[in-house]
Amino acid sequence: MFILGAAPKVIGGISAIAASCITCLQIYQHLQHYFCPAEQRWIIRILCIVPIYALTSWCSLMYWQFSIYFDSIRDVYEAFVIYNFLCLCYEYIGGENCILNEIQGKELSRSWIHMTCCLPKIHYDIQFLRFCKQCTLQFCAVKPVVALITIILEAEGKFHENNLSPKYGYLYVTIIYNISVTMALYALVLFYVATKDILRPHDPVIKFFMVKAIIFASFWQGVLLSFLELVNVIKQTTNSADTEVITTGQISASYQNFLICVEMLISALLLRVAFPYAIYDKHESSARQTLSTNIRDTLNPKYMVNDYIHNFSSTYKSYALGNQKSLQSANDESDSEPRPLRLETPESLEEGYHDDQRYASGGGGELEGEWGSGREVLVSHDELDLSSPR
């Protein structure tokens, strides 16, 4: 059988290493030109999916008896990427306030293409944005738990990967996973439908396509391979020495891992087009930081922690009302004498949030006007353009 021979391991290894090298070079280039951390931290985190997917899949292909552990790492990061992509879209537009200023009061268009034809009438507001964030964040929480349960069931001999029998845990884990990932990806679709016109200057189509393609390709491949097992197209066999039985689940997993290795090489090339580093060369060179500083900022988990606290907090309603009143006031006063407007973001509500403008000053330290310092940051309407994307 082809998948059990040496050729898939060699081809998969070459593809995985090549994909990882291409993407790691791209990540290094972003870190060397880290002049817009508000956007680039999310881009770098998204790009990391290629080496993580490629190398874990190759390791699973080489050491299939430990594949459950390698696959768990891959699957957990998958959830993280969906959340990061939504955050990147927020940054492209300028944050919640700018998004609300553009879409508030408009109605969700109904289309069978976007699978919104059967939804009730939905008007865009702060709660809509909260729903999108919550759907992606719940997947980030559910996936690690599901991965842990999978490892425990495998250790007890009750998982049986790709076996859809109700006697084993794979069926129930798959159902939970599918519900969670569907909610997260559908939230991305709804957000894209609401903001596609605002995001157009940032070429969102190829970015959106790449993120969904990487995740959906592995998902539907798994479903197809499970079906082929069910109809006995994939059958168990023995190794070349006839000393060990290779189950259908192991064969399916090997096909899945081999395909992912090859697909990641293609993805690495396309992601270079989707997220080029060269567009950030326009920023002042004085903003350059040390590589270690940029890496620490990219790895800092505070943004995700703050989002969890903010979007699942009982005080969100008060924050939402305050933002809507601020936006209404800003619109009402657009024809009158402008006055300073205090902006609030989810991160600004958390103590210790440092404004990304510290990079523009050429230093990695704190600014006097940072959030959480007890001083409000005020900007005039002339300084803030709420009518167009950033």
Side-chain angles (χ1 to χ4, degrees), residues 265-386:
L265 179 56
I266 300 172
S267 298
L269 297 173
L270 293 177
L271 284 172
R272 287 193 68 85
V273 178
F275 299 104
Y277 77 92
I279 62 175
Y280 298 104
D281 277 340
K282 300 176 182 177
H283 293 71
E284 294 293 334
S285 59
S286 61
R288 186 182 299 276
Q289 302 296 300
T290 63
L291 195 64
S292 60
T293 300
N294 297 339
I295 293 174
R296 284 199 303 271
D297 182 72
T298 302
L299 298 177
N300 195 330
K302 72 177 181 182
Y303 306 99
M304 188 174 185
V305 173
N306 290 346
D307 255 354
Y308 265 113
I309 295 172
H310 170 67
N311 285 280
F312 290 97
S313 171
S314 59
T315 61
Y316 187 92
K317 184 176 181 180
S318 300
Y319 161 78
L321 292 174
N323 268 279
Q324 289 177 323
K325 290 178 181 178
S326 295
L327 283 171
Q328 184 62 44
S329 176
N331 291 331
D332 292 343
E333 294 173 5
S334 59
D335 296 328
S336 60
E337 181 180 356
R339 66 182 184 184
L341 175 66
R342 183 180 188 275
L343 296 182
E344 293 181 322
T345 67
E347 293 86 355
S348 71
L349 300 179
E350 303 299 327
E351 185 176 358
Y353 175 74
H354 306 304
D355 190 79
D356 290 324
Q357 298 263 343
R358 67 185 183 275
Y359 284 85
S361 67
E366 301 175 3
L367 293 180
E368 290 186 358
E370 65 181 354
W371 297 106
S373 62
R375 296 181 292 278
E376 293 183 351
V377 176
L378 300 179
V379 294
S380 69
H381 288 277
D382 292 335
E383 296 171 320
L384 177 67
D385 182 8
L386 288 175

Side-chain angles (χ1 to χ4, degrees), residues 10-284:
V10 173
I11 297 172
I14 293 173
S15 300
I17 293 172
S20 299
C21 290
I22 292 171
T23 304
C24 287
L25 174 60
Q26 185 180 3
I27 291 172
Y28 175 76
Q29 290 169 330
H30 271 285
L31 290 171
Q32 285 291 93
H33 301 80
Y34 201 65
F35 303 138
C36 187
E39 294 178 8
Q40 287 177 282
R41 71 169 61 96
W42 308 114
I43 292 174
I44 291 172
R45 293 174 183 181
I46 292 170
L47 293 176
C48 285
I49 194 175
V50 171
I52 290 175
Y53 259 49
L55 295 177
T56 55
S57 296
W58 185 42
C59 289
S60 294
L61 187 62
M62 294 292 294
Y63 309 103
W64 55 263
Q65 62 270 35
F66 303 112
S67 64
I68 193 74
Y69 307 105
F70 296 124
D71 293 349
S72 296
I73 297 172
R74 183 181 68 200
D75 293 344
V76 168
Y77 199 78
E78 168 189 294
F80 189 53
V81 166
I82 295 177
Y83 161 76
N84 279 278
F85 182 71
L86 181 62
C87 291
L88 176 61
C89 292
Y90 269 59
E91 290 298 335
Y92 278 152
I93 300 174
E96 281 185 339
N97 287 284
C98 290
I99 298 173
L100 278 175
N101 190 60
E102 293 288 344
I103 70 174
Q104 189 164 11
K106 297 179 182 179
E107 186 177 326
L108 175 66
S109 59
R110 300 184 182 183
S111 169
W112 65 269
I113 298 177
H114 301 133
M115 296 178 288
T116 58
C117 54
C118 299
L119 293 179
K121 184 180 293 186
I122 297 176
H123 291 280
Y124 299 132
D125 55 15
I126 191 71
Q127 294 296 339
F128 170 79
L129 296 182
R130 185 191 191 190
F131 170 78
C132 293
K133 272 287 182 73
Q134 285 181 329
C135 284
T136 56
L137 286 169
Q138 62 81 26
F139 188 42
C140 292
V142 168
K143 197 65 190 85
V145 175
V146 169
L148 180 61
I149 292 173
T150 298
I151 293 173
I152 295 173
L153 290 174
E154 179 69 17
E156 295 294 325
K158 298 179 180 179
F159 184 65
H160 290 248
E161 187 172 7
N162 293 320
N163 191 323
L164 297 175
S165 170
K167 296 186 298 182
Y168 304 115
Y170 175 78
L171 174 64
Y172 307 106
V173 166
T174 301
I175 291 173
I176 295 172
Y177 167 80
N178 288 345
I179 293 173
S180 183
V181 71
T182 300
M183 290 177 61
L185 290 173
Y186 193 56
L188 275 186
V189 171
L190 293 180
F191 182 83
Y192 173 74
V193 171
T195 60
K196 59 183 178 181
D197 293 332
I198 318 172
L199 286 169
R200 187 170 289 119
H202 302 282
D203 298 323
V205 176
I206 185 172
K207 297 177 174 66
F208 190 76
F209 171 78
M210 285 307 304
V211 171
K212 294 199 71 172
I214 291 173
I215 295 171
F216 263 122
S218 61
F219 168 70
W220 285 111
Q221 282 169 188
V223 172
L224 176 60
L225 290 168
S226 295
F227 175 76
L228 293 178
E229 280 187 60
L230 196 62
V231 296
N232 291 323
V233 173
I234 297 177
K235 301 177 181 179
Q236 73 176 25
T237 185
T238 58
N239 61 6
S240 57
D242 290 333
T243 58
E244 185 178 2
V245 174
I246 310 297
T247 66
T248 55
Q250 293 167 350
I251 296 172
S252 296
S254 296
Y255 275 114
Q256 171 82 316
N257 291 316
F258 171 70
L259 290 172
I260 290 176
C261 288
V262 176
E263 289 162 358
M264 286 304 103
L265 179 56
I266 300 172
S267 298
L269 297 173
L270 293 177
L271 284 172
R272 287 193 68 85
V273 178
F275 299 104
Y277 77 92
I279 62 175
Y280 298 104
D281 277 340
K282 300 176 182 177
H283 293 71
E284 294 293 334

